[in-house]
């Protein structure tokens, strides 16, 4: 079967497109399945695609280095309870007919090459969609509970996608994991800047998970969790290897980052200010409970260690609000960070410098707590003055773990007038909103990572689960 269908068939599909789009949009708007979305920053190699197994046909493959824009590592996962099927039985129901779980009004899997009754390495499919967006793929790995596809020339994306099931005793988990860049500049525009393709893709794969749950004759437990890790990519490699962080890695951002070395902190204080004494300062101290551990020192791979790693990697801030560009190969203490602040479509670039980095045991009212934290101070040109501390505490007597955010701040006394005026009008409200979201984000990210560690399942072709563990300290 040719990858591009005959003209009459394409006209027939295109004629159904308006109806399909209306149905898809309606279902998207009225979706009741809980969807928990978390966006983070990723790094190579741990967020890159698995290595292709030996003996795979490499002809016409469209790999990430052939694509455009950042590499997006996404994981969609859901838990299924009360299903009588095993993971192998569920996958055995899916693989003979991928259309059984595809949203038929929007996409259809058609097999181009291979036995139609089974799935095997080397089989080729094309995802038929209205318009010029067909997606040819090839099977590169298969196991009793998983299979992996790689995109071929002409696909919207360049990369791999994997489907896998795990679990037993009437509790299953199904995961769709992808590693891909946009196939060309038009797709990059639609996905990254207009977000059209991104939301369409989210709707498609969440719909697949809903159909998997129905096929398993079970119930969805806790909705769908979507984790996105973005790797900045330039000229077929991770952007400059050492200097990206969570923010942009282009030349202008790197030049702005380099300029921070010549800037001083934009306030003078030798101790924490007192509002009554110093005037104009806001003092904030927030705490968020994290998953509990057993009493004693932090557990290996437990809540305290996971939160510590998230803080080290500056995953505390929602990238839709704040992104940071910095040298990852520089020590954390003394590190300069260029923050990209996003507000109502505008972007503001300001600098901060990391100061103290500490990891110690403290005695608080006769109770011992293990505390890891670090702080940064605002630099000249920032529209704020102040200092922020991020900390994770574990109370050794009870095993309680908590994330803490401590800050003092006020509007800057110098710098561009328009940004200082904007901060005085909107800054305090947005600041408190940011603090609350940071605390909530740290709790949910820690919970998600612990759940991933608990339920991680093997990939086909001998590749290990790609989302297990966290990046080692820089």
């Amino acid at each position: 079967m040719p990858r591009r269908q005959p003209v009459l068939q394409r006209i027939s599909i295109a004629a159904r497109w308006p109806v399909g789009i209306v149905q898809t949009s309606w279902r998207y708007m009225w979706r009741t399945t809980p969807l928990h979305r978390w966006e983070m920053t990723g790094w190579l190699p741990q967020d890159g695609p698995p290595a292709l197994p030996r003996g795979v046909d490499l002809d016409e493959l469209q790999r990430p280095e052939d694509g455009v824009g950042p590499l997006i590592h996404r994981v969609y996962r859901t838990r299924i309870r009360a299903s009588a099927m095993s993971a192998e039985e569920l996958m055995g129901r899916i693989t003979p007919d991928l259309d059984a779980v595809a949203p038929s009004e929007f996409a259809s899997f058609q097999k181009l090459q291979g036995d139609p009754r089974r799935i095997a390495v080397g089989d080729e499919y094309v995802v038929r969609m209205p318009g010029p967006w067909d997606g040819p793929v090839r099977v590169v790995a298969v196991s009793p509970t998983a299979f992996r596809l790689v995109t071929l020339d002409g696909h919207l994306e360049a990369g791999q996608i994997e489907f896998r099931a795990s679990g037993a005793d009437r509790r299953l988990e199904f995961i769709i994991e992808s590693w891909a860049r946009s196939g060309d500049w038009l797709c990059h525009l639609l996905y990254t800047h207009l977000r059209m393709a991104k939301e369409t893709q989210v709707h498609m794969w969440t719909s697949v998970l809903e159909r998997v749950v129905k096929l398993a004759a079970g119930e969805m437990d806790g909705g769908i969790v979507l984790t996105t890790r973005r790797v900045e990519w330039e000229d077929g490699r991770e952007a400059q290897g050492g200097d990206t962080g969570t923010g942009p890695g282009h030349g202008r951002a790197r030049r702005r980052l380099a300029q921070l070395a010549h800037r001083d902190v934009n306030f003078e204080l030798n101790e924490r200010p007192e509002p009554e004494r110093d005037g104009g300062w806001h003092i904030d101290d927030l705490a968020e409970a994290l998953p509990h551990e057993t009493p004693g020192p932090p557990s290996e791979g437990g809540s305290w260690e996971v939160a510590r790693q998230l803080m080290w990697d500056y995953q505390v801030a929602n990238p839709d609000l704040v992104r940071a560009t910095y040298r990852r190969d520089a020590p954390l203490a003394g590190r300069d960070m260029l923050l990209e602040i996003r507000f109502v479509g505008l972007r503001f670039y300001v600098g901060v410098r990391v100061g103290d980095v500490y990891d110690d045991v403290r005695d608080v009212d006769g109770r011992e707590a293990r505390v890891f934290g670090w702080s940064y101070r605002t630099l000249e040109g920032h529209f704020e003055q102040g200092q922020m501390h991020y900390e994770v505490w574990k109370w050794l007597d009870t095993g309680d773990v908590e994330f803490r955010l401590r800050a003092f701040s006020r509007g800057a006394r110098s710098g561009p007038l328009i940004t200082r005026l904007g901060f005085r009008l909107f800054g305090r409200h947005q600041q408190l909103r940011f603090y609350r979201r940071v605390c909530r984000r740290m709790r949910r990210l820690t919970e998600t990572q612990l759940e991933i560690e608990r339920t991680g399942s093997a990939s086909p072709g001998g590749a290990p689960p790609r989302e297990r563990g966290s990046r080692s300290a820089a």
Side-chain angles (χ1 to χ4, degrees):
M1 182 185 296
R3 289 183 185 166
R4 192 170 184 86
Q5 68 267 58
V7 174
L8 290 179
Q9 188 176 356
R10 293 182 64 82
I11 292 175
S12 174
I13 293 177
R16 298 195 304 269
W17 182 49
V19 176
I21 289 298
V22 170
Q23 291 178 338
T24 300
S25 301
W26 181 261
R27 293 179 183 178
Y28 181 82
M29 291 173 59
W30 294 101
R31 178 183 296 279
T32 58
T33 301
L35 177 60
H36 310 287
R37 303 173 68 157
W38 300 103
E39 297 204 11
M40 306 169 68
T41 296
W43 290 275
L44 295 177
Q46 53 268 52
D47 286 299
L52 294 172
R54 293 182 179 180
V56 167
D57 181 5
L58 304 180
D59 186 42
E60 298 184 299
L61 295 193
Q62 194 162 270
R63 308 187 194 191
E65 50 266 34
D66 301 317
V68 173
L71 174 72
I72 306 298
H73 176 197
R74 307 194 98 180
V75 181
Y76 303 77
R77 64 176 68 238
T78 192
R79 292 175 298 193
I80 307 169
R81 66 169 180 259
S83 172
M85 295 185 187
S86 65
E88 292 84 356
E89 290 170 335
L90 176 57
M91 194 58 72
R93 294 283 300 275
I94 294 172
T95 52
D97 180 15
L98 299 186
D99 266 353
V101 294
S104 57
E105 76 280 2
F106 181 72
S108 174
F109 284 85
Q110 296 185 15
K111 199 159 194 176
L112 303 180
Q113 179 177 304
D115 187 337
R117 297 166 297 179
R118 56 189 291 270
I119 189 170
V121 173
D123 289 355
E124 292 189 4
Y125 294 82
V126 64
V127 184
R128 300 291 192 198
M129 293 183 285
W133 299 296
D134 290 347
V137 294
R138 180 178 297 146
V139 181
V140 294
V142 177
S143 76
T145 58
F147 64 93
R148 183 162 19 113
L149 311 174
V150 64
T151 58
L152 301 178
D153 290 343
H155 198 288
L156 279 167
E157 294 185 308
Q160 299 184 45
I161 187 167
E162 182 175 283
F163 303 78
R164 63 181 182 265
S166 63
D169 299 326
R170 300 178 67 81
R171 294 191 66 86
L172 301 174
E173 183 177 56
F174 198 87
I175 294 174
I176 302 173
E177 184 167 10
S178 65
W179 308 260
R181 301 173 71 202
S182 297
D184 55 36
W185 284 106
L186 176 59
C187 297
H188 178 52
L189 174 66
L190 293 174
Y191 188 94
T192 305
H193 299 288
L194 300 182
R195 300 177 72 91
M196 180 190 305
K198 178 179 180 180
E199 294 307 313
T200 300
Q201 185 183 70
V202 169
H203 176 65
M204 177 177 177
W205 294 126
T206 53
S207 297
V208 167
L209 288 179
E210 290 171 338
R211 285 165 170 78
V212 168
V213 174
K214 184 177 180 179
L215 186 65
E219 300 175 3
M220 185 176 289
D221 183 9
I224 295 171
V225 176
L226 167 56
T227 304
T228 301
R229 295 176 65 90
R230 175 188 175 113
V231 179
E232 295 294 335
W233 192 292
E234 291 182 354
D235 302 326
R237 56 190 173 85
E238 187 179 12
Q240 294 297 310
D243 51 359
T244 51
T246 64
H250 51 65
R252 183 183 303 175
R254 293 196 295 272
R255 289 192 294 272
R256 285 173 170 164
L257 175 63
Q259 293 169 0
L260 297 183
H262 306 291
R263 298 186 186 181
D264 294 325
V265 173
N266 64 353
F267 65 97
E268 293 183 7
L269 275 178
N270 295 322
E271 58 184 12
R272 180 182 171 116
E274 295 292 339
E276 299 81 5
R277 179 192 66 197
D278 299 299
W281 291 96
H282 296 290
I283 311 296
D284 298 292
D285 197 338
L286 290 78
E288 185 81 19
L290 301 182
H292 188 80
E293 292 187 8
T294 57
S299 304
E300 183 177 357
S303 179
W304 189 89
E305 286 194 354
V306 168
R308 180 187 187 277
Q309 190 65 55
L310 291 169
M311 290 165 47
W312 194 292
D313 290 341
Y314 195 70
Q315 303 284 12
V316 295
N318 185 335
D320 287 339
L321 301 177
V322 177
R323 299 187 179 189
T325 299
Y326 56 88
R327 293 286 309 183
R328 287 195 289 116
D329 55 359
L332 179 57
R335 175 184 291 171
D336 288 338
M337 300 170 60
L338 177 71
L339 303 186
E340 181 186 77
I341 313 280
R342 299 182 170 200
F343 176 66
V344 294
L346 302 175
R347 299 183 183 185
F348 305 94
Y349 295 90
V350 296
V352 297
R353 180 167 296 138
V354 176
D356 299 330
V357 179
Y358 42 91
D359 186 345
D360 51 42
V361 176
R362 301 181 185 180
D363 187 290
V364 182
D365 297 328
R367 300 178 63 197
E368 287 191 333
R370 174 79 177 272
V371 180
F372 169 78
W374 57 274
S375 66
Y376 63 64
R377 288 187 168 191
T378 54
L379 300 180
E380 294 171 340
H382 202 301
F383 48 76
E384 283 186 70
Q385 294 178 332
Q387 180 168 301
M388 176 102 69
H389 287 257
Y390 297 117
E391 298 176 339
V392 57
W393 289 55
K394 177 175 181 181
W395 296 96
L396 304 185
D397 56 346
T398 63
D400 292 334
V401 182
E402 58 188 25
F403 171 76
R404 289 189 175 185
L405 184 157
R406 298 187 292 111
F408 59 84
S409 63
R410 69 181 180 186
R413 300 306 194 248
S414 61
L417 177 61
I418 187 170
T419 55
R420 289 190 288 124
L421 178 61
F423 181 77
R424 281 164 173 75
L425 291 175
F426 307 105
R428 184 58 179 166
H429 172 76
Q430 294 298 317
Q431 187 181 59
L432 292 175
R433 179 170 173 260
F434 173 74
Y435 292 166
R436 290 191 294 267
R437 292 184 69 170
V438 164
C439 292
R440 187 163 58 247
R441 176 180 170 86
M442 282 295 297
R443 173 173 57 84
R444 295 303 301 273
L445 285 180
T446 302
E447 292 172 344
T448 299
Q449 185 62 36
L450 290 173
E451 181 69 8
I452 290 168
E453 292 290 335
R454 185 182 70 83
T455 63
S457 56
S459 301
R466 305 295 296 182
E467 205 188 358
R468 282 188 180 180
S470 56
R471 192 176 67 87
S472 59

